Amino acid sequence: NPHGRVFDAWGNDLITDATGNNTYFGPAFSGKLDQGKHSKFQEFWKRPMRPCPATGMVSSRHFPEDWQGDFLNLNVIGFQGIYRVDVSQDGSGLKGETVMKNGQIDPLVWADPKDHPTFRPICVSTGADGAIYFCDWSQTIIGHLQHHLRDPNRDHQHGRIYRITYEGRPLLTQPKIDGQPIEALLEILKIHEDDTRTLAKVELSEHDSTKVIAAVKKWVAG
């Protein structure tokens, strides 16, 4: 159940096994073995709870500098919320540390199940405005072991989408990408936001490869 796979600014991927919420440094974890599994491979981060339906990364100048590159880990049962994890280099790989405040875990968002039992964050991303958006599945019961798939209490009608902004900091303006010339798209690759650069790369793929390669060589030389 690899329900989480997210890339940092350098293209390193973090792979999460949903059931156990076990996250691994992708470039090493995906190495070929002639037989067996990576039986002693260490987790990237010691997660406080499980399971995890999705992950994300913070890459937005709308949020403070010390938020940039933070790993977001969504949980839906033992903890109903989104952990924020500081990421740093560790030898040839990466390591994560749960963000704390006054000795307590300081999540991006969470709900007390006694007050909000249906709160189930299941996917997260950064919008063009730099805000963080996430979906709430809004389910009373989840899982297919404890409850029958045809249980009438399963809600197939409702859900919620949340938008998180940082008070006192300006939102972002997305540059024009669709239909832009090669030179303009290359300039967008200098922008901080990972998702914006990815969109520029997708648009570059619509152009003639020979022209893109020639423009990239000229751009890099400059």
Side-chain angles (χ1 to χ4, degrees), residues 25 133 170 191:
F25 179 56
Y133 293 78
I191 288 178

Side-chain angles (χ1 to χ4, degrees), residues 24-129:
Y24 302 95
F25 179 56
F29 187 64
S30 59
K32 181 181 182 298
L33 294 179
D34 291 329
Q35 58 183 349
K37 297 181 178 181
H38 296 272
S39 59
K40 296 183 180 180
F41 202 85
Q42 298 298 305
E43 295 179 43
F44 147 80
W45 162 63
K46 294 181 179 178
R47 80 287 186 271
M49 197 60 69
R50 56 157 298 277
C52 170
T55 58
M57 297 287 280
V58 178
S59 177
S60 167
R61 287 165 292 169
H62 173 63
F63 291 90
E65 180 63 30
D66 62 351
W67 284 55
Q68 303 308 310
D70 277 2
F71 175 64
L72 301 178
N73 185 273
L74 286 63
N75 277 235
V76 292
I77 297 181
F79 170 78
Q80 291 168 230
I82 304 177
Y83 292 115
R84 190 159 64 92
V85 182
D86 280 335
V87 181
S88 60
Q89 286 188 303
D90 184 26
S92 59
L94 301 174
K95 71 174 179 179
E97 297 176 288
T98 307
V99 173
M100 308 288 286
K101 185 177 182 180
N102 299 325
Q104 301 291 323
I105 292 175
D106 187 27
L108 175 67
V109 64
W110 72 284
D112 188 327
K114 296 192 297 293
D115 299 325
H116 304 281
T118 67
F119 184 71
R120 315 281 188 182
I122 59 166
C123 62
V124 64
S125 64
T126 303
D129 59 356

